Amino acid sequence: MLRVVLIDDERLALIQLESTLRALGSTIVTATYTNPLLAMSEAAGWEADIIFLDIDMPGLNGVEAARQLEECCPGSAIVFVSAHNSFALEAFEVSAQDYLLKPVSRERLSRTLQRIRSRKVNQDDTDKPGLLLIRCFNAIQFERGGIPIRDFRWRTSKAQELFAFLLYHHDRIVVKDKLIELLWPEASFKRASTHLYTAIYQIRQSLKRADIGLVISNASVGEGYMLESGDAQIDAVLWEEGVVSLDPVDDYNVAEHEELLKLYTGDYLGDYEYLWAESERQRLRNLSLQHATELADYYTVKDNITKAVNTYQRIVELHPYHEPGYLALMEFYNRLGELSFVQEQYEKLRSLLWRDLKLTPSAKVERWYANWKRLYT
């Protein structure tokens, strides 16, 4: 619904225009004036989408009134209404959206409203900043409207870690003492406090330069800080809420589970060696493995081998030491007759476990592989 204001010194013309607008049913007439001077004195409080303005009024010329309205109501479209067309050129010089001749027909008024409504929608879409998404899986990254913000830079690694910690505790107060103990445990309290103030300043400046509308506020009378997430979304939060809220995988929600599988792209803050993040990292990792396994089991029961293989490949990509994932892939590749892929999965698991953990595959995997080799060698 468009909010409109009507200004015309002829009361009958004002009544007729208001009646036609009400009949169209797409506007709300918030105010009407027969006194243009009174209208100008109250204009600042209108918040109107459209101002219908008679161009030839005693006491104040409509064109001059339009110039004043452009100043105090910059978001309002001005539509001139007149019994004469001789003012049209002058009217459009003050950026009028339309020029209607009295008596205004319903069809002509409807076209005017539709044109202004379309312009308003397009302008709102242009002016509205894209949704800010903060990615925490793997590394911290910012996106707006799906487009990565690539010119963002951290001043120091301490500033980056401080932001990560505040983000983990987003919308909650973190006391200064806790931040100092975490980031500058060896420094004196005075020096550490200075480092903290400096890092907070650097974060705020980096966010400001990249036009990222996040606020880090001083809380508890300056005794702590809080990262206010506002309208921003955090991928880890979105992902966990989705996993927890969805029913078990079935034919009706499998597509949603697939999207959640795609959203989990790696460990929480996995690119950084933050010890304080390890418990959260492990918790989300376990939840991810549970979710992906349930999806793989669903495809297995449905005998959708292609989808099951793709899901298990995703599992071992995200959880490279997860032996059941490799074993499932070996079994599926064996069913498909892809014997070289069976061998490849076993060798990959064995090499990875020994290189990173100095371990060998479990007895279950070794037994399966030994039985397979006896059949195919």
Side-chain angles (χ1 to χ4, degrees), residues 56-76:
D56 187 18
M57 296 180 291
L60 183 62
N61 177 274
V63 173
E64 180 54 38
R67 290 194 177 98
Q68 294 181 32
L69 291 170
E70 283 184 322
E71 301 258 337
C72 63
C73 307
S76 302

Side-chain angles (χ1 to χ4, degrees), residues 16 81-83 100-106 108:
Q16 289 174 339
V81 183
S82 177
L100 305 179
L101 289 175
K102 299 178 182 178
V104 181
S105 72
R106 180 169 175 168
R108 179 69 175 85

Side-chain angles (χ1 to χ4, degrees), residues 288-358:
S288 163
L289 180 57
Q290 176 186 336
H291 173 254
T293 301
E294 289 174 0
L295 186 59
D297 289 344
Y298 165 83
Y299 286 131
T300 301
V301 170
K302 290 290 184 178
D303 203 31
N304 189 333
I305 296 179
T306 300
K307 286 283 191 178
V309 167
N310 289 341
T311 306
Y312 276 117
Q313 285 176 335
R314 185 67 175 147
I315 287 173
V316 299
E317 177 186 337
L318 294 170
H319 310 277
Y321 308 121
H322 184 63
E323 290 192 33
Y326 290 97
L327 181 57
L329 284 172
M330 291 159 64
E331 291 171 340
F332 278 119
Y333 285 135
N334 183 54
R335 287 176 59 185
L336 293 169
E338 299 286 355
L339 304 186
S340 63
F341 286 0
V342 175
Q343 182 75 34
E344 178 183 302
Q345 291 302 314
Y346 173 77
E347 294 295 341
K348 182 179 179 181
L349 173 62
R350 187 173 65 86
S351 174
L352 193 66
L353 287 174
W354 184 254
R355 185 194 68 195
D356 295 348
L357 305 175
K358 294 298 183 285

Side-chain angles (χ1 to χ4, degrees), residues 7-9 33-41 53 57-60 65:
I7 308 172
D8 195 320
D9 66 298
Y33 295 89
T34 55
N35 184 336
L37 296 177
L38 176 61
M40 291 301 101
S41 68
L53 178 63
M57 296 180 291
L60 183 62

Side-chain angles (χ1 to χ4, degrees), residues 77-90:
I78 296 174
V79 175
F80 282 112
V81 183
S82 177
H84 312 283
N85 60 13
S86 55
F87 297 102
L89 181 59
E90 190 176 4

Side-chain angles (χ1 to χ4, degrees), residues 41-334:
S41 68
E42 298 181 0
W46 286 344
E47 297 184 0
D49 296 305
I50 310 175
I51 301 171
F52 288 90
L53 178 63
D54 186 11
I55 202 167
D56 187 18
M57 296 180 291
L60 183 62
N61 177 274
V63 173
E64 180 54 38
R67 290 194 177 98
Q68 294 181 32
L69 291 170
E70 283 184 322
E71 301 258 337
C72 63
C73 307
S76 302
I78 296 174
V79 175
F80 282 112
V81 183
S82 177
H84 312 283
N85 60 13
S86 55
F87 297 102
L89 181 59
E90 190 176 4
F92 286 112
E93 287 179 353
V94 291
S95 303
Q97 295 287 318
D98 211 340
Y99 189 100
L100 305 179
L101 289 175
K102 299 178 182 178
V104 181
S105 72
R106 180 169 175 168
E107 292 74 16
R108 179 69 175 85
L109 184 57
S110 178
R111 290 200 301 271
T112 297
L113 295 176
Q114 183 57 47
R115 184 163 56 250
I116 292 174
R117 183 179 291 107
S118 298
R119 288 175 182 172
K120 178 175 174 56
V121 169
N122 292 336
Q123 185 63 44
D124 287 347
D125 289 343
T126 300
D127 292 344
K128 188 190 327 182
L131 182 68
L132 178 66
L133 174 66
I134 309 171
R135 294 197 177 275
C136 300
F137 291 130
N138 295 318
I140 294 175
Q141 296 177 315
F142 302 98
E143 291 182 9
R144 182 177 288 110
I147 301 174
I149 299 175
R150 302 192 182 279
D151 59 347
F152 186 86
R153 296 289 183 273
W154 299 105
R155 289 288 300 275
T156 65
S157 60
K158 290 291 188 183
Q160 176 180 280
E161 185 172 3
L162 175 57
F163 177 85
F165 193 75
L166 292 173
L167 180 62
Y168 172 60
H169 295 279
H170 65 91
D171 301 307
R172 290 173 288 171
I173 297 171
V174 184
V175 297
K176 288 167 49 179
D177 290 355
K178 187 172 184 177
L179 296 172
I180 288 173
E181 181 182 356
L182 174 73
L183 296 169
W184 298 279
E186 305 300 326
S188 67
F189 182 80
K190 183 177 180 180
R191 180 176 293 276
S193 296
T194 301
H195 291 325
L196 176 59
Y197 299 146
T198 301
I200 290 290
Y201 173 79
Q202 290 172 342
I203 293 171
R204 286 170 172 163
Q205 291 300 110
S206 295
L207 294 173
K208 183 178 179 180
R209 279 194 296 270
D211 195 25
I212 296 173
L214 292 174
V215 175
I216 298 178
S217 58
N218 291 56
S220 297
V221 197
E223 290 304 310
Y225 295 96
M226 179 171 64
L227 174 62
E228 301 176 26
S229 60
D231 294 332
Q233 294 184 321
I234 303 169
D235 64 348
V237 175
L238 290 175
W239 174 81
E240 183 174 7
E241 288 177 348
V243 170
V244 171
S245 63
L246 265 183
D247 290 332
V249 188
D250 58 29
D251 295 347
Y252 301 100
N253 64 19
V254 63
E256 294 175 81
H257 281 283
E258 282 279 4
E259 289 302 313
L260 288 170
L261 182 66
K262 294 175 185 176
L263 187 57
Y264 187 93
T265 57
D267 285 340
Y268 179 77
L269 301 178
D271 287 359
Y272 315 118
E273 297 180 357
Y274 300 156
L275 292 179
W276 55 264
E278 185 55 37
S279 62
E280 180 70 354
R281 189 177 294 135
Q282 188 61 50
R283 185 183 71 84
L284 295 180
R285 184 188 295 139
N286 291 340
L287 184 59
S288 163
L289 180 57
Q290 176 186 336
H291 173 254
T293 301
E294 289 174 0
L295 186 59
D297 289 344
Y298 165 83
Y299 286 131
T300 301
V301 170
K302 290 290 184 178
D303 203 31
N304 189 333
I305 296 179
T306 300
K307 286 283 191 178
V309 167
N310 289 341
T311 306
Y312 276 117
Q313 285 176 335
R314 185 67 175 147
I315 287 173
V316 299
E317 177 186 337
L318 294 170
H319 310 277
Y321 308 121
H322 184 63
E323 290 192 33
Y326 290 97
L327 181 57
L329 284 172
M330 291 159 64
E331 291 171 340
F332 278 119
Y333 285 135
N334 183 54

